[in-house]
Amino acid sequence: AIKPAASPADAARAFQAGAGAGIASARDAVIKVYPVDMQQSEMGGVKVTIYSPKQVAPRNRRRVAMMFNSEPVGVILAAIGKMQVVSVQYNPTQPQGSAQIVAVYRELLKTHRPAQIAFIGLSGGCQFGGNTAFWLPSQKLPFPGAIALMTCAGGRIAGDTRTTLNGLDPQLSDYTQFGAARRAGGAPVPPKPGEPQSEILNNGAVPKGFPPS
């Protein structure tokens, strides 16, 4: 049996610590196949990793993609898309995570038009990308030019895929560290006024002007 974490924040930190080495190893392996330049930096006080292709496509010279939750996919996107990718090292809890993504977005808006920026989120990053985008109007910020919402799974709300593959897919099963991290959070807690949602499906009506997704 896996001992539950004391709090959602503890569960997130434990998961990140355990996954960090594996993510770095996967990233380094992918860079060997898809060579890009990698730079560790900070934007708005938030740690980021900037992936730059060996040659940026002319049409992408003023474009940038913000990547959430997958270093290997960020590498591949930079290499194949021939554009710069900024991978945001956000805290995977709300509202801290969305606040950190917004901080990086604010910095990029100093050098880019909104239409030149894309949000791209994978799995948990999909949740944060979507929820942060819904939160932007309350932060008096424009929407990015486009959003890629890849494999949003409903967070702690189990859908048919998780129910069907429980016991078959480690990342979707209750008996693994992934399940323990989800259970540690308990039932979804409604956000305080002015805070972002933690579940993208709870955001309600899509706001006017929401970008292609």
Side-chain angles (χ1 to χ4, degrees):
I2 297 176
K3 183 180 178 180
S7 69
D10 288 339
R13 281 191 289 269
F15 177 80
Q16 292 295 93
I23 291 173
S25 177
R27 176 202 64 204
D28 294 344
V30 169
I31 287 178
K32 293 179 181 179
V33 181
Y34 298 96
V36 297
D37 294 325
M38 182 178 73
Q39 176 189 0
Q40 305 286 352
S41 185
E42 282 194 5
M43 290 184 178
V46 181
K47 292 182 179 180
V48 299
T49 306
I50 302 172
Y51 298 112
S52 302
K54 300 301 181 181
Q55 183 177 3
V56 176
R59 68 174 186 168
N60 291 335
R61 286 175 183 163
R62 299 296 304 155
R63 293 175 175 173
V64 62
M66 295 176 63
M67 183 73 207
F68 315 127
N69 199 46
S70 180
E71 301 297 314
V73 173
V75 170
I76 295 170
L77 176 63
I80 294 180
K82 297 187 182 303
M83 66 185 300
Q84 188 177 78
V85 174
V86 175
S87 180
V88 183
Q89 313 303 312
Y90 62 91
N91 185 321
T93 58
Q94 288 288 30
Q96 293 90 345
S98 284
Q100 290 171 329
I101 290 172
V102 165
V104 175
Y105 185 50
R106 286 184 188 276
E107 287 300 305
L108 289 173
L109 285 172
K110 295 177 181 179
T111 54
H112 297 75
R113 297 195 307 272
Q116 296 171 328
I117 304 173
F119 282 9
I120 301 177
L122 177 68
S123 190
C126 174
Q127 295 286 121
F128 276 91
N131 288 325
T132 303
F134 270 86
W135 196 45
L136 291 177
S138 71
Q139 301 303 299
K140 310 301 182 184
L141 290 173
F143 289 118
I147 303 177
L149 301 175
M150 302 166 63
T151 69
C152 290
R156 293 191 297 272
I157 302 174
D160 57 346
T161 299
R162 187 177 296 163
T163 301
T164 302
L165 297 181
N166 189 11
L168 299 176
D169 184 327
Q171 294 199 46
L172 299 177
S173 298
D174 292 337
Y175 67 89
T176 65
Q177 63 173 326
F178 303 97
R182 287 192 295 268
R183 290 194 301 276
V189 178
K192 297 177 182 178
E195 290 186 353
Q197 289 276 0
S198 60
E199 305 286 358
I200 191 171
L201 299 179
N202 294 345
N203 276 307
V206 177
K208 183 178 180 180
F210 201 75
S213 306

